[in-house]
């Protein structure tokens, strides 16, 4: 490991100027905010089984962690195509039919279309998936999720964004928001590539983080360096993150997150095939199939209604679901406590929290919710901790919420300190 200076630690003074943009937003509250829907937040972290990396240990020139981060920051690949295999193991309880019913409800609530990306991509939060990706510059991209005999695709071509669910033969159409000069484009709701995941991870590089180069590997037939990111603090559920970086282009090819609890990776996304040639122009062409139900999104030039592609209008579709910004409405005094990987979001729902008492207090609902979480007590009174292998949330009986990628004990300690 000596050639890769694996004993180096990246801190406030160790990173190159080119990586400053990567670090700039690391302490923004948005990075740590976990809404009441814990599953929704965890869905932004997508994983894949560890066996994706090809066998082999290529011999590459020596490189430091700082130089590798700089290589990622300078990477400017505009054209690529490939296949990413995706699976997620958050350790969520199995709810059987209830789980599928909830997902169906979310879909119908967001404009009435099964093709709406806001709900469809949430399905990547569990199970194993194969995703095909293609890009040709900032205005042409395609992501397709393959499911048995069906396919779900999102196509961005110029001003148009199309989403098509072949299983239901439904189409969702909207227009891409125009990015003004000097402004960043709207972030993806759910990262689907190793680069998107790596960008999020690198925002957390500060003096609470150890960053080293942990040897080399081959991913999708390409030589890569392995960047190892580990929290220095205790209390985080994140054990380590490994990013396999293409030695030639600097593009992250594989992303793996393992929890402190051990076992299978929670996050492990990687290419099984990748090419950096210009995709065919037809890759980004889309015309709604004849007879498909087309739902116009609120950002599109059309009205908020559904219509058969033959031209005949159906009944008006339900109003679209609230925007992401609306999720924060009603939260009183949102703040963060702690630092780095052990940061906890704290806010007040303004409600009575979760019924955590006896069945006489909360009825059958109380018993069901308690079966999904752990009942805890402290200076704050009583509450329930809902856990995944990565994100945990404590909801107290008086409506306070403490959430983050931290252990249950860390949440209880934070709640006690607030009282």
């Amino acid at each position: 490991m000596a050639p890769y200076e694996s004993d180096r630690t990246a801190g406030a003074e160790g990173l190159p100027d080119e990586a400053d943009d990567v670090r700039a937003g690391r302490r923004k509250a948005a990075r740590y905010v976990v809404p009441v829907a814990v599953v929704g937040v965890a869905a932004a972290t997508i994983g894949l089984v560890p066996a994706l990396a090809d066998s082999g240990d290529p011999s590459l020139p020596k490189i430091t962690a700082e130089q590798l981060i700089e290589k990622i920051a300078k990477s400017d690949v505009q054209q690529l195509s490939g296949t990413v295999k995706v699976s997620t193991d958050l350790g969520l309880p199995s709810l059987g039919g209830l789980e599928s019913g909830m997902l169906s409800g979310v879909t119908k609530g967001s404009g009435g279309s099964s093709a709406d990306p806001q709900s469809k991509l949430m399905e990547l939060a569990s199970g194993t998936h194969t995703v095909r990706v293609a890009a040709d510059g900032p205005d042409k991209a395609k992501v397709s999720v393959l499911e048995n005999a069906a396919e779900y695709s999102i196509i961005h071509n110029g001003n148009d964004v199309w989403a098509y669910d072949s299983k239901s033969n439904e189409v969702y159409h909207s227009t891409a928001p125009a990015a003004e000069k000097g402004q960043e484009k709207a972030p993806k709701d759910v990262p689907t590539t190793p680069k998107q995941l790596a960008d999020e991870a690198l925002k957390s590089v500060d003096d609470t983080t150890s960053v080293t180069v942990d040897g080399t590997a081959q991913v999708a037939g390409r030589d890569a360096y392995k960047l190892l990111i580990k929290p220095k603090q205790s209390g985080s559920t994140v054990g380590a993150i490994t990013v396999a970086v293409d030695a030639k282009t600097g593009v992250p090819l594989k992303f793996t997150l393992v929890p402190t609890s051990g076992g299978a990776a929670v996050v492990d996304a990687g290419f099984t095939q990748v090419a950096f040639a210009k995709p065919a122009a037809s890759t980004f062409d889309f015309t709604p199939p004849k007879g498909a139900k087309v739902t116009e999104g609120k950002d599109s030039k059309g009205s908020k209604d559904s219509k058969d592609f033959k031209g005949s209008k159906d009944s008006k579709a339900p109003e679209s679901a609230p925007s992401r910004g609306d999720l924060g409405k009603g939260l009183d005094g949102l703040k963060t406590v702690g630092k780095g990987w052990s940061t906890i979001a704290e806010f007040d729902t303004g409600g009575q929290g979760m019924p955590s008492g006896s069945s006489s207090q909360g009825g059958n609902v109380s018993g069901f919710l308690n079966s999904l979480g752990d009942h805890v007590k402290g200076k704050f009174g009583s509450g329930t901790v809902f856990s995944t292998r990565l994100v945990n949330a404590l909801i107290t009986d008086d409506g306070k919420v403490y959430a983050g990628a931290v252990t249950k004990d860390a949440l209880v300690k934070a709640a006690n300190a607030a009282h």
Side-chain angles (χ1 to χ4, degrees):
M1 294 303 170
Y4 304 102
E5 300 191 14
S6 60
D7 58 336
R8 294 292 300 274
T9 299
E13 301 177 355
L15 293 175
D17 292 340
E18 289 83 356
D20 286 346
D21 289 342
V22 176
R23 299 182 305 162
R26 63 182 181 269
R27 291 191 176 93
K28 290 182 181 179
R31 172 176 173 258
Y32 305 108
V33 173
V34 181
V36 176
V38 178
V39 175
V41 176
T45 307
I46 301 173
L48 160 120
V49 291
L52 287 179
D54 297 337
S55 60
D57 187 13
S59 177
L60 294 172
K62 299 176 182 179
I63 193 171
T64 66
E66 291 84 1
Q67 290 170 335
L68 189 52
I69 291 175
E70 180 180 358
K71 192 175 187 70
I72 297 172
K74 285 185 173 181
S75 178
D76 190 31
V77 172
Q78 297 288 318
Q79 300 170 334
L80 66 80
S81 59
T83 302
V84 181
K85 200 165 183 180
V86 177
S87 72
T88 308
D89 186 2
L90 291 169
L92 295 172
S94 177
L95 302 181
L98 176 62
E99 186 177 53
S100 59
M102 291 172 64
L103 288 174
S104 175
V106 170
T107 297
K108 293 302 179 183
S110 53
S113 173
S114 67
D116 188 340
Q118 288 188 352
S119 57
K120 189 67 177 180
L121 289 181
M122 297 295 285
E123 296 179 10
L124 294 176
S126 62
T128 299
H129 306 271
T130 298
V131 181
R132 289 179 181 166
V133 298
D136 184 8
D139 298 322
K140 290 186 177 182
K142 182 176 182 178
V143 176
S144 299
V145 182
L146 309 182
E147 304 172 329
N148 298 324
E151 179 176 328
Y152 175 78
S153 295
I154 300 176
I155 304 99
H156 175 197
N157 193 344
N159 294 326
D160 290 305
V161 177
W162 296 93
Y164 177 58
D165 184 357
S166 68
K167 186 175 182 179
S168 62
N169 198 30
E170 293 192 22
V171 175
Y172 185 88
H173 173 247
S174 66
T175 54
E180 297 182 9
K181 188 175 181 180
Q183 290 185 340
E184 294 183 359
K185 294 187 175 182
K188 304 292 185 184
D189 284 343
V190 179
T192 53
T193 67
K195 175 170 172 48
Q196 292 169 354
L197 290 163
D199 286 346
E200 291 300 312
L202 288 174
K203 289 179 183 178
S204 58
V205 172
D206 58 13
D207 57 2
T208 69
T209 310
S210 168
V211 182
T212 61
V213 179
D214 189 30
T216 62
Q218 275 202 336
V219 180
R222 298 184 66 90
D223 293 347
Y225 293 102
K226 294 192 297 182
L227 186 69
L228 181 63
I229 304 171
K230 297 180 68 175
K232 291 182 179 180
Q233 304 162 298
S234 61
S236 174
T237 55
V238 177
I241 293 173
T242 302
V243 182
V245 183
D246 186 66
K248 184 176 181 180
T249 66
V251 173
L253 299 176
K254 188 171 186 288
F255 178 99
T256 304
L257 185 154
V258 295
T260 53
S261 59
V266 173
V267 179
D268 188 8
F271 283 97
T272 57
Q273 296 177 342
V274 66
F276 297 104
K278 180 183 177 71
S282 59
T283 303
F284 311 103
D285 292 338
F286 180 78
T287 300
K290 184 177 180 179
K293 175 184 176 183
V294 180
T295 298
E296 295 289 345
K298 63 180 180 179
D299 291 330
S300 69
K301 296 178 182 178
S303 60
K304 295 183 189 175
D305 58 10
S306 299
K307 55 187 177 182
D308 184 270
F309 192 63
K310 296 176 183 177
S312 62
K313 290 190 175 182
D314 295 328
S315 58
K316 188 173 182 179
E319 290 294 323
S320 297
S323 65
R324 289 175 80 86
D326 292 335
L327 291 174
K329 291 183 179 180
L331 301 183
D332 182 25
L334 174 65
K335 63 180 181 179
T336 60
V337 295
K339 180 182 179 182
W341 300 85
S342 298
T343 301
I344 296 172
E346 176 186 339
F347 56 90
D348 192 338
T349 64
Q352 296 182 347
M354 306 299 294
S356 57
S358 65
S359 59
S360 61
Q361 292 175 295
N364 293 332
V365 173
S366 173
F368 173 70
L369 292 174
N370 277 321
S371 70
L372 300 179
D374 296 328
H375 184 59
V376 294
K377 292 183 178 181
K379 294 180 181 179
F380 55 87
S382 299
T384 304
V385 175
F386 297 92
S387 301
T388 70
R389 298 177 66 215
L390 188 63
V391 179
N392 297 320
L394 165 61
I395 305 178
T396 64
D397 289 355
D398 60 358
K400 302 291 193 307
V401 177
Y402 303 85
V406 297
T407 62
K408 179 176 72 173
D409 290 344
L411 294 177
V412 172
K413 183 177 179 180
N416 282 332
H419 287 74

